[in-house]
Amino acid sequence: MTLTLTATIFIEGIIVLVYSRWREKPLLLILLTSLFANFITQSLLWIALLLFFRHYWPVLIVMEIFIWLIESLIFYRVRAEQLTLKEAMALSLAINLASFSAGLFLPV
Amino acid sequence: MPKFISRILPLVLLLLIPTTSAFADMGPKPYMEFEFTNEGTESLIVSGIMYECDQPDCSDAQPLEEVAVQGFYCYEGVSCSAVAYGFKPYHRIELTFADGRTLESNVFETVGFISNYTVTVREMDLLVEERFDFADFLRNIFNSVCCFGAGFALLPLGMVFQRRKK
């Protein structure tokens, strides 16, 4: 689980870094929010997979959609980040797609 | 200070990259670990195939395909593991040993997201026994709950930054 979380935080951190620089948003705050969201959502993902291990793909897909929505909401709710709901959803989609895709091909 | 942190943060993130590769989780993916004990003469494992089945008698056995990181792997001739994008409910393994023997196992079930098995190498076959480690299961749940708590521990820090921004 530590490896998963570390790799996820690293990949999502890079996306946040690029996004913050590109859209001139507060990098540190968005990174911190992303870290907070990851701790919460990765825990939920692990618990769901541990409990429903016989249904890997359905559980993974449902949880990833849930994680995307939860993280969008967290990004949006932290007002100081100056993200609109659309921006928050786009950023969350980008970081989650990146970490999900990388996760499929990384042997960790 | 925040500017300084924002400059060193990418470096810190770089240092967080896991340096050892472990066939474990990011995805995360279901995983199986096989430990071996020998009843007779000990011989190193040369190669192995894992069969996946939907039927309890494994009459519909298909080898576990090697796709990206998915596959059945044996290390240094003494241990094996399998990682997959979802396992079927029943399995069977076939191992070839350095002394030329090819032995088949009994049919065994997936016992968890991370499944542990003990394989007894006998003269004529392999006996795979599930090893459900309840302590391991509890540890994973505990880690998840702790991780959840750690997320909330970050909240006050976030609030400080948010106030500063305002």
Side-chain angles (χ1 to χ4, degrees), chain A residues 4 42 45-46 49 56 60 64 108, chain B residues 24-30 113:
Chain A
T4 317
Q42 286 288 309
L45 176 65
W46 262 94
L49 286 170
Y56 179 67
L60 190 65
E64 287 292 344
V108 288
Chain B
D25 34 38
M26 193 195 163
K29 301 164 204 75
F113 189 75

Side-chain angles (χ1 to χ4, degrees), chain A residues 6 31 36 56 103-104 107-108, chain B residues 9 16 22 25-26 28-29 85 151:
Chain A
T6 312
L31 265 179
F36 161 73
Y56 179 67
L104 286 178
V108 288
Chain B
L9 214 55
L16 282 172
D25 34 38
M26 193 195 163
K29 301 164 204 75
Y85 302 110

Side-chain angles (χ1 to χ4, degrees), chain B residues 139-152:
Chain B
R139 198 180 307 123
N140 279 321
I141 294 281
F142 177 76
N143 284 344
S144 302
V145 173
C146 280
C147 180
F148 196 82
F152 276 98

